[in-house]
Amino acid sequence: MRTREVRLVRRPAGTLRPTDLEVVEVDVPRLADGQVLVATSHHSVDAAVRLRMDPVSPPGYLPAFGLGEGIEGLAVGTVLESRAAGFVAGDLVQHARGFREIAVVDATAGALGGAGALTRLDAALAPAEVHLGLLGGTGLTAWSGIVPVARAVEGETVWVSAAAGAVGSVAGQLARSRGCRVVGSAGGPEKVAYLRDELGFDAAFDHREGVAEGLAAAAPDGIDVYFDNVGGGHLVAALDHLRPFGRAALCGAVAGYDGTPAPGIDNLFLATSKNLTLRGFRAGAFAERADEVRVELAALWRAGRMRLDTATYDGLEQAPQAVVDLLTGRTRGKCMVVTG
Amino acid sequence: MRTREVRLVRRPAGTLRPTDLEVVEVDVPRLADGQVLVATSHHSVDAAVRLRMDPVSPPGYLPAFGLGEGIEGLAVGTVLESRAAGFVAGDLVQHARGFREIAVVDATAGALGGAGALTRLDAALAPAEVHLGLLGGTGLTAWSGIVPVARAVEGETVWVSAAAGAVGSVAGQLARSRGCRVVGSAGGPEKVAYLRDELGFDAAFDHREGVAEGLAAAAPDGIDVYFDNVGGGHLVAALDHLRPFGRAALCGAVAGYDGTPAPGIDNLFLATSKNLTLRGFRAGAFAERADEVRVELAALWRAGRMRLDTATYDGLEQAPQAVVDLLTGRTRGKCMVVTG
């Protein structure tokens, strides 16, 4: 059997170009005991995939992709054939071997940061794209940052950066559902209008017009929580604006992923002077709470209090452009490639 | 009545010089209701005093010292006269109006970061210098960082920077008393020998020989906790060496206090990738636990399991040099000026 996969054919020299990736046809390996064969329909496009394209991954991440080898990511699909206990043909599953149309997946492995083990999904609960986004790694990441990491509580002011992105838009809406006042930032006036008018953020600003100025105008009395997807100058501004005993949930630092290193943080002493906590986290650390989170988010979604729009790319041949568009901030909501 | 006080006569242009401070004779104000008159015997010399010599203090600190006005700090002395309920002549007290021989102190105010309110001390428990150091702000700061902030537990590896200083030497010994393996760093071979041979640290290294190299040799398997007194390159090295789920207690960043700004932190993304927590703190945030801490530290001290050596300067006229020596790393243990 043949399939297609996305390969890394050139390590990006700075910013990723679509031609650094290539879609190639390959043989599907024979299924061994303990494995399932999955026809993947939805492939998650996450900024973190860029980290594995450098020669060495950051500590805590899966190893760098080999040059000339296939890339991977979280994905949802349907089991075609199973040689693993607990899975049968027809099951809707999440796995970590995205970016190939037909994947052989180890039932006991494939964990991507602890959150990517092969998991059977409840097809009656929601469609595949909702499982991949809101109810998958995106939702778990957003929930982890707002709830156990930042401990945002009713009445607090929360700033979410990259708020029109998948994790950011869920984090912001989740904080609102818990009674926080939520400020979002994004790049460009269209995204800002989207945050305010469609996602119901209390305030929003365009970081391209100046992060410190935008934040000061949107939250003149300061912030209690910062949900950081960007790092660099955004985090510097957050440290300046956090109130005493404020918390920053460090979810990602996309400013430094793709080419240019982000500027260093030169005002971290404010953490001491204002009793601030900065806590880095990855969703995998909270994987044991994924079921509970799925229930909370699905309830909000069914009640119409949570939405996660999708930026959909049809066909695996669109995957290289999808990754580039995500990294350069051209997408909104959950970016995914749909196949089959 | 006349007394002498230390005044800021020139805002330091970069590194503080002794001549930026001056010891002058002044009138002691008349005592008003709610005040006590204290003959101060021991004046604490802390790095944080430098922060109030710049034109603007960092947020969370008391305002900058006025140019031509007296400076202040934590101190211990004996009440000469009281017009405040709860205090009588002869009481041993801690207050926040140090750097003057005779001080008028408001019984209800004078809090320095919340930890400096006028407090009666138990003279039978320990001598004045032990109250000022181990049982005062120094001990509370060290305890706060190790216990509630970093939550260091038995079997973990803890790195303490500026470990031959007052807070560092108490933090390191406290972590050891709780079953941690403790690595200390300091400037120069004498301090390193002091940490290892006299304070009983498990390992020690000289940061002047290279922080990353010294840390890697002293803790080849990484660290679980970093107690940061320095900031800058020390914190960068800690982020590199912290193990997954490690914690950094950000107590101070003396590298950036006196003149040259410390380099920015350019590897904070490791907090995300390794699920690290960085928590800034000031002892004032834990002031309500000061009594409990005093009991624990006094017990260790009486049992001979905790020592805090003193770097003593005799006479208020030595105070300018004492502050400069502390900031340039020339002192060991608790730096104090003794008067009367």
Side-chain angles (χ1 to χ4, degrees):
Chain A
M1 198 192 309
R2 304 280 282 171
T3 188
R4 294 192 304 167
E5 70 174 18
V6 180
R7 283 195 172 167
L8 179 67
V9 294
R10 197 177 296 109
R11 294 214 184 273
T15 303
L16 180 73
R17 292 171 306 177
T19 50
D20 296 334
L21 301 172
E22 208 169 86
V23 179
V24 295
E25 205 177 292
V26 295
D27 282 325
V28 177
R30 279 178 64 111
L31 209 58
D33 280 343
Q35 294 184 324
V36 297
L37 191 70
V38 181
T40 300
S41 56
H42 297 77
H43 308 256
S44 178
V45 181
D46 299 292
V49 76
R50 174 65 181 80
L51 297 172
R52 298 181 65 194
M53 296 180 190
D54 286 328
V56 179
S57 286
Y61 284 82
L62 289 174
F65 298 125
L67 196 58
E69 295 178 10
I71 69 169
E72 297 179 334
L74 287 173
V76 167
T78 303
V79 174
L80 294 177
E81 185 187 342
S82 172
R83 292 185 61 181
F87 297 92
V88 297
D91 280 350
L92 187 70
V93 292
Q94 175 184 282
H95 65 87
R97 292 269 294 149
F99 292 115
R100 52 197 41 72
E101 290 163 332
I102 297 179
V104 171
V105 180
D106 288 342
T108 51
L112 200 72
L118 181 69
T119 310
R120 196 173 43 242
L121 303 172
D122 180 359
L125 185 67
E129 66 180 45
V130 176
H131 276 292
L132 184 70
L134 182 61
L135 306 184
T138 297
L140 181 61
T141 302
W143 179 90
S144 300
I146 292 294
V147 182
V149 171
R151 302 180 190 196
V153 298
E154 191 173 346
E156 290 192 319
T157 297
V158 175
W159 172 34
V160 180
S161 59
V167 169
S169 65
V170 176
Q173 293 173 86
L174 183 65
R176 283 211 87 222
S177 82
R178 289 170 170 254
C180 299
R181 178 173 184 273
V182 178
V183 174
S185 60
E190 285 171 24
K191 286 185 179 174
V192 169
Y194 171 72
L195 294 177
R196 206 154 30 198
D197 303 336
E198 302 196 45
L199 297 190
F201 280 51
D202 298 285
F205 66 91
D206 183 351
H207 70 77
R208 295 176 190 164
E209 305 286 324
V211 178
E213 298 77 1
L215 183 56
D221 299 325
I223 58 176
D224 302 292
V225 166
Y226 173 49
F227 191 109
D228 187 22
N229 290 307
V230 179
H234 279 65
L235 183 53
V236 169
L239 288 164
D240 277 334
H241 282 79
L242 277 162
R243 283 199 276 251
F245 298 96
R247 290 88 64 204
L250 309 181
C251 178
V254 72
Y257 288 3
D258 195 32
T260 330
I265 308 302
D266 59 5
N267 62 344
L268 193 57
F269 177 64
L270 291 171
T272 298
S273 83
K274 295 194 285 188
N275 290 283
L276 307 179
T277 299
L278 286 74
R279 187 168 166 195
F281 73 102
R282 299 182 60 209
F286 301 95
E288 81 284 358
R289 301 189 68 177
D291 289 340
E292 160 196 353
V293 173
R294 204 173 277 124
V295 168
E296 175 175 348
L297 294 177
L300 287 169
W301 174 70
R302 276 193 305 265
R305 297 175 60 204
M306 171 73 73
R307 64 187 257 193
L308 177 52
D309 295 308
T310 51
T312 301
Y313 291 75
D314 276 317
L316 204 65
E317 64 280 5
Q318 301 283 346
Q321 191 61 50
V323 176
V324 167
D325 286 355
L326 178 90
L327 290 170
T328 51
R330 291 196 200 107
T331 66
R332 197 169 82 179
K334 179 67 191 173
C335 182
M336 58 179 72
V337 176
V338 177
T339 55
Chain B
M1 197 192 310
R2 303 281 281 174
T3 187
R4 295 192 303 167
E5 70 175 17
V6 180
R7 282 194 173 170
L8 178 67
V9 293
R10 197 178 296 108
R11 294 214 184 271
T15 304
L16 181 73
R17 293 172 304 177
T19 50
D20 295 334
L21 301 171
E22 208 169 86
V23 179
V24 295
E25 205 177 293
V26 294
D27 281 325
V28 176
R30 278 179 66 109
L31 210 58
D33 281 343
Q35 294 183 325
V36 298
L37 191 70
V38 181
T40 299
S41 56
H42 297 75
H43 309 254
S44 180
V45 181
D46 299 292
V49 76
R50 174 65 181 80
L51 297 171
R52 298 181 66 191
M53 295 180 190
D54 287 328
V56 179
S57 287
Y61 284 82
L62 289 175
F65 299 124
L67 196 58
E69 294 178 10
I71 69 170
E72 298 179 333
L74 288 173
V76 167
T78 303
V79 173
L80 294 176
E81 185 186 343
S82 172
R83 292 185 62 182
F87 296 92
V88 297
D91 281 349
L92 187 70
V93 292
Q94 175 184 281
H95 64 88
R97 292 269 294 147
F99 293 114
R100 52 196 41 70
E101 290 163 334
I102 297 179
V104 171
V105 181
D106 289 342
T108 52
L112 199 72
L118 181 68
T119 310
R120 197 175 40 244
L121 303 173
D122 180 359
L125 186 67
E129 67 179 44
V130 176
H131 276 292
L132 184 71
L134 182 61
L135 306 183
T138 298
L140 180 61
T141 302
W143 179 90
S144 300
I146 293 294
V147 182
V149 171
R151 302 179 190 198
V153 297
E154 191 174 345
E156 288 191 320
T157 297
V158 175
W159 172 33
V160 180
S161 59
V167 169
S169 64
V170 176
Q173 293 172 85
L174 183 64
R176 282 213 86 222
S177 82
R178 288 170 171 255
C180 299
R181 177 171 185 272
V182 178
V183 174
S185 60
E190 285 171 25
K191 285 184 179 174
V192 169
Y194 171 72
L195 294 177
R196 208 155 27 198
D197 303 336
E198 302 196 45
L199 296 190
F201 280 50
D202 297 286
F205 66 90
D206 183 350
H207 69 77
R208 296 176 190 166
E209 306 286 323
V211 177
E213 298 77 0
L215 183 55
D221 299 326
I223 58 175
D224 301 292
V225 166
Y226 173 48
F227 190 110
D228 188 21
N229 290 308
V230 178
H234 278 64
L235 183 54
V236 169
L239 288 165
D240 276 334
H241 282 80
L242 277 162
R243 283 199 276 252
F245 298 95
R247 291 87 65 204
L250 309 181
C251 178
V254 72
Y257 287 2
D258 193 32
T260 330
I265 308 301
D266 60 4
N267 61 346
L268 192 58
F269 177 64
L270 291 172
T272 298
S273 83
K274 294 193 287 188
N275 291 283
L276 307 179
T277 299
L278 286 73
R279 187 168 165 195
F281 73 102
R282 299 182 58 208
F286 301 94
E288 81 283 359
R289 301 189 67 176
D291 289 339
E292 160 196 353
V293 173
R294 204 173 277 125
V295 168
E296 174 175 348
L297 294 177
L300 287 170
W301 173 71
R302 275 193 305 264
R305 296 176 59 204
M306 172 73 74
R307 65 187 257 194
L308 176 53
D309 294 308
T310 52
T312 301
Y313 291 75
D314 277 316
L316 203 65
E317 65 279 6
Q318 301 282 347
Q321 191 62 48
V323 177
V324 167
D325 286 354
L326 178 89
L327 290 170
T328 50
R330 291 197 200 107
T331 65
R332 199 169 82 179
K334 178 69 190 172
C335 183
M336 59 178 71
V337 175
V338 178
T339 54

